[in-house]
Amino acid sequence: HRFNYLYQIAIFTGLRENELLGMTWVCISWKTKTLKVYRQLQRVPGNWSEFRFVPHKNSKTRYITLSPYVVSVLRKQESKQAADKMKAGSLWQGFDNVEERKTALVFTDDLGNNLNPATVFENLKRIGEAIGRPDIRVHDLRHTFAVNSLQMGDDIKTLQGNLGHATAAFCLDRYGHVSDRMKEESARRQQ
């Protein structure tokens, strides 16, 4: 699917949709395998087709340590974008040189333009319908990341930092049901 890499990054990082759409190549440190999250791409109020960068939800910069799998997906996206640029030729809008590429968006359309959230949602909706989940939303990929993180043993403070929530209490309120289920499963294993 043309947004395959975007959806994978969402599931494996827990980024908000607008953080994903506003991610630029300069946010990724290949050396430290971290992602700097400090802004998002947002529609200009009253103008359906114009977007701008704004600080993300709580305006605090966060750094996410990327798994080797996420790094490999980002490298694939990098190659895909280079192929798109070559194919588009003079129609390419994303960046013209190596220096501009540093601040260019990671996820773009075939011509290097920013992705429209409605297009990303509609494509995910079609995938959801095909697998029997017509109610899926892009934000559900973030929830999948959170639940999987807890089930794999991440502590609530780590999850809070990765998701960019203001407090651990908010994470507990949102995902406490997962912790309860994990406690029950642990108790069953102790028998």
Side-chain angles (χ1 to χ4, degrees):
H1 190 275
R2 70 184 197 158
F3 298 138
N4 179 32
Y5 300 140
L6 183 142
Y7 298 141
Q8 287 182 60
I9 296 301
I11 288 173
F12 286 96
T13 63
L15 290 173
R16 294 175 180 96
E17 180 180 19
N18 288 344
E19 291 171 343
L20 279 165
L21 298 180
M23 184 191 325
T24 55
W25 289 108
V26 77
C27 295
I28 301 164
S29 170
W30 301 113
K31 183 178 179 183
T32 62
K33 294 178 178 42
T34 56
L35 173 65
K36 179 180 180 181
V37 184
Y38 68 101
R39 64 183 180 178
Q40 61 184 334
L41 196 63
Q42 193 174 72
R43 189 181 318 281
V44 172
N47 188 336
W48 182 253
S49 62
E50 191 177 336
F51 293 83
R52 66 179 176 200
F53 286 109
V54 297
H56 61 73
K57 198 166 184 172
N58 66 10
S59 297
K60 288 184 180 177
T61 298
R62 71 184 191 274
Y63 293 88
I64 297 173
T65 301
L66 302 173
S67 71
Y69 178 76
V70 169
V71 171
S72 74
V73 172
L74 287 168
R75 287 292 191 193
K76 290 175 188 173
Q77 174 61 22
E78 184 178 40
S79 295
K80 178 191 174 300
Q81 193 177 65
D84 288 346
K85 183 178 189 291
M86 187 166 287
K87 191 185 316 179
S90 64
L91 298 176
W92 181 257
Q93 300 296 309
F95 54 90
D96 290 326
N97 56 52
V98 173
E99 197 57 36
E100 286 179 5
R101 184 190 172 283
K102 291 178 184 175
T103 57
L105 294 170
V106 172
F107 298 107
T108 59
D109 67 12
D110 295 341
L111 298 178
N113 299 301
N114 67 278
L115 295 175
N116 189 313
T119 304
V120 172
F121 169 73
E122 290 163 10
N123 278 268
L124 184 62
K125 193 96 170 137
R126 277 188 233 119
I127 293 169
E129 288 168 358
I131 63 171
R133 290 301 311 261
D135 58 337
I136 194 166
R137 305 164 302 147
V138 177
H139 200 73
D140 294 332
L141 304 177
R142 179 173 164 84
H143 290 304
T144 299
F145 167 79
V147 169
N148 287 343
S149 294
L150 289 172
Q151 288 178 335
M152 297 296 289
D154 285 359
D155 64 84
I156 202 70
K157 284 299 283 181
T158 299
L159 182 61
Q160 172 204 348
N162 285 340
L163 293 176
H165 286 160
T167 65
F170 181 83
C171 276
L172 280 171
D173 287 346
R174 175 74 60 153
Y175 300 108
H177 66 284
V178 177
S179 298
D180 292 341
R181 188 172 67 231
M182 290 167 55
K183 288 177 194 173
E184 290 171 12
E185 290 171 2
S186 175
R188 278 195 297 275
R189 286 193 303 270
Q190 303 302 321
Q191 296 179 11

